[in-house]
Amino acid sequence: MKPKVLVTREVFDDVLVYLSLYFEVQSNQADIPMDADTLAARLSDKQGAVITLSDRIDGKLLARCPDLKAVCNVAVGFNNIDLTACSRAGIMATNTPGVLDDSTADFTWALILATARRVVESDTHLRSGLWKGWYLKQFLGADVHHATLGILGLGRIGRKVARRASGFDMTVLYHSTRQADPDVELACNPTFVSKDELLARADILTIHVPYAPSTHHIIGSPELAMMKPGAILINAARGGVVDDAALVLALTSGRLAGAGLDVFENEPALNPALVGMKNVVLTPHIASSSAATRHAMAMLAARNLVAALTTGKPPNLLNPEPSGDGSGQ
Ligand code: GLV
């Protein structure tokens, strides 16, 4: 008998076809989000799951899933998964690194340009029938070319963002937990600075760190107060790395000129004050969402699941030594 697996949200048809070669697949092509209770009930007789970042995998859920051996996230971020609880329960957890770097970097640039050059605000103005013709001072924005770009976090995505900056003749600074190797710096050409210097010098600050306790509100009131007056903040990383309430204050006071945000604290809710702000570009967590990349992510998660349940060695294993002592169940 084939092992039973669950795909928690809608995926591409060929991903289901591929999984069906190995598993008895229960899917959710109607794409109805599951609450914690429903998810636990649906997983209670499954050996594996393709999950998304809106599925919280923790000890409480795992205690109700005695047969579960692998959870495979369709995302590079994995703050929805309690890895310690997975390891304790002997459950492999995987993510989808690499396949979304370029698309996410592209979208970061979409946010940078849209925010600095007021694309959404002027589009709304025009559609509202308010445009009365050209005039000199209409929708004056900030130049991106020759500006200073600050990158907080020079991982795979941060590096791709840095490389794209060369076309805009920018000064590119970065701060990371440690300075990148010389060959990495050479390939994308940013200069390592302290976090304080990054905040003080960046005209545009873009964040590319994962969410973890150590990065919670890595940009909060103190950091926003250190930013250059009139700077722009971009977050296509994770909600919670920015203190959204503090950001609202910095935007309201005029300290920041604008923000481009793809991610929010407590998604899908967002701070209502952001909605009314013309100098903020808001998108619904779609930075990786090109058709090709979302397909690649789903397929990689499916491949991880097949490898996990057939060989015990999925390519993108996040917890290499699941203890399997059953103490989490
Ligand atoms: C999307 O946010 C991801 O982590 O892949």
Side-chain angles (χ1 to χ4, degrees):
M1 224 170 60
K2 289 177 178 174
K4 289 185 184 169
V5 302
L6 176 70
V7 180
T8 65
R9 299 295 298 263
E10 183 183 12
V11 290
F12 302 90
D13 289 346
D14 61 334
V15 175
L16 289 182
V17 170
Y18 169 66
L19 286 170
S20 306
L21 298 174
Y22 300 86
F23 308 124
E24 188 183 314
V25 182
Q26 218 178 76
S27 61
N28 178 15
Q29 291 301 82
D31 211 28
I32 299 160
M34 296 180 213
D35 61 20
D37 232 31
T38 311
L39 182 62
R42 299 279 301 266
L43 281 176
S44 61
D45 63 341
K46 305 294 183 304
Q47 290 187 26
V50 170
I51 60 169
T52 68
L53 46 83
S54 52
D55 301 314
R56 174 91 199 127
I57 305 294
D58 56 18
K60 200 164 157 222
L61 176 132
L62 296 179
R64 295 175 60 184
C65 309
D67 298 334
L68 201 61
K69 293 190 173 52
V71 287
C72 299
N73 224 19
V74 185
V76 65
F78 50 88
N79 52 303
N80 57 313
I81 304 175
D82 180 340
L83 284 187
T84 310
C86 283
S87 296
R88 209 178 290 138
I91 290 168
M92 292 169 270
T94 67
N95 68 340
T96 60
V99 292
L100 49 76
D101 302 344
D102 280 301
S103 296
T104 305
D106 287 352
F107 196 82
T108 300
W109 275 95
L111 287 178
I112 291 172
L113 290 165
T115 308
R117 298 302 307 275
R118 304 174 66 179
V119 172
V120 176
E121 185 187 354
S122 55
D123 175 283
T124 304
H125 178 86
L126 191 145
R127 287 172 199 268
S128 312
L130 296 171
W131 191 36
K132 302 282 183 278
W134 191 94
Y135 65 93
L136 192 69
K137 291 190 175 177
Q138 193 169 32
F139 289 108
L140 300 176
D143 274 328
V144 172
H145 66 83
H146 295 96
T148 296
L149 178 69
I151 301 178
L152 185 58
L154 199 74
R156 284 182 304 263
I157 296 169
R159 290 175 212 168
K160 299 266 184 190
V161 171
R163 283 188 58 176
R164 283 156 173 73
S166 63
F168 290 88
D169 300 314
M170 301 179 88
T171 300
V172 184
L173 309 176
Y174 79 98
H175 181 74
S176 241
T177 39
R178 67 174 186 85
Q179 185 165 1
D181 294 338
D183 57 326
V184 169
E185 288 191 343
L186 200 66
C188 58
N189 208 23
T191 303
F192 182 72
V193 293
S194 69
K195 186 177 166 194
D196 287 4
E197 186 174 348
L198 188 81
L199 295 170
R201 287 182 58 195
D203 297 306
I204 299 163
L205 179 69
T206 181
I207 306 169
H208 299 285
V209 296
Y211 182 80
S214 60
T215 58
H216 178 74
H217 289 184
I218 196 169
I219 299 294
S221 313
E223 290 78 16
L224 291 163
M226 290 169 71
M227 284 177 70
K228 206 166 169 174
I232 285 171
L233 180 72
I234 303 295
N235 185 11
R238 262 300 178 276
V241 299
V242 174
D243 178 344
D244 286 353
L247 175 62
V248 164
L249 290 179
L251 289 162
T252 313
S253 70
R255 171 86 199 182
L256 292 193
L261 307 172
D262 185 50
V263 287
F264 308 90
E265 289 190 284
N266 310 314
E267 289 173 17
L270 66 160
N271 189 311
L274 291 171
V275 179
M277 291 182 167
K278 290 184 173 169
N279 54 344
V280 175
V281 175
L282 304 171
T283 52
H285 204 144
I286 56 166
S288 65
S289 194
S290 72
T293 292
R294 285 283 166 93
H295 180 267
M297 290 166 68
M299 202 42 121
L300 183 53
R303 288 212 176 89
N304 273 311
L305 185 56
V306 169
L309 296 189
T310 58
T311 69
K313 291 189 183 356
N316 305 117
L317 186 61
L318 292 164
N319 53 339
E321 286 158 9
S323 73
D325 63 6
S327 57
Q329 297 197 12

